[in-house]
Amino acid sequence: MKVLFLPNWSEDNPYQRLLKEALLDCGVEVTLENYGKRWPFLYRAAKQHRDCRIVHIHWLKPFINGLGDSRNRWQCYFRLVIYGLDLVLIRLIGRRIIYTAH
């Protein structure tokens, strides 16, 4: 089994390194990748790594940062819909999604 970790913050956060090592001990291959710069961020990464059956999302901060501070509620809704569509696209290509809540 192969898992794609998004994003790769393993240098600053030991959680990803420890989880990767534990999964490797169980025979699971882990690939660490960063979010892309264009939408659909997550889908592009998942499609690039065709052999990964699971997309493990570790931090949503780049997507939700500032949503509560938005003065324009339609902009907030739009950003949430875009993120949701990104997740739907991942599911449509047959990948499973795991999110770690920190």
Side-chain angles (χ1 to χ4, degrees):
M1 179 186 321
K2 296 182 181 182
V3 178
L4 174 62
F5 280 14
L6 292 169
N8 179 7
W9 288 355
S10 60
E11 288 184 28
D12 298 329
N13 191 313
Y15 173 78
Q16 277 187 325
R17 282 192 313 271
L18 295 170
L19 180 57
K20 179 181 177 179
E21 290 170 10
L23 289 172
L24 288 172
D25 289 343
C26 294
V28 177
E29 186 177 324
V30 176
T31 301
L32 290 98
E33 185 70 53
N34 286 310
Y35 298 131
K37 298 196 185 290
R38 293 184 340 204
W39 185 82
F41 313 100
L42 303 172
Y43 171 75
R44 284 180 188 272
K47 192 153 182 171
Q48 181 181 357
H49 297 279
R50 296 175 191 263
D51 56 343
C52 291
R53 304 308 318 156
I54 298 172
V55 176
H56 186 172
I57 302 167
H58 290 271
W59 287 276
L60 299 177
K61 187 175 180 178
F63 299 102
I64 62 172
N65 210 19
L67 284 180
D69 299 333
S70 177
R71 291 192 172 105
N72 182 345
R73 71 177 173 166
W74 295 110
Q75 178 185 6
C76 178
Y77 293 147
F78 177 75
R79 288 176 64 190
L80 287 172
V81 167
I82 290 296
Y83 175 66
L85 287 174
D86 208 354
L87 295 174
V88 167
L89 288 171
I90 291 173
R91 291 295 295 140
L92 286 174
I93 61 171
R95 305 302 196 287
R96 299 226 182 243
I97 300 169
I98 297 173
Y99 170 64
T100 300
H102 294 273

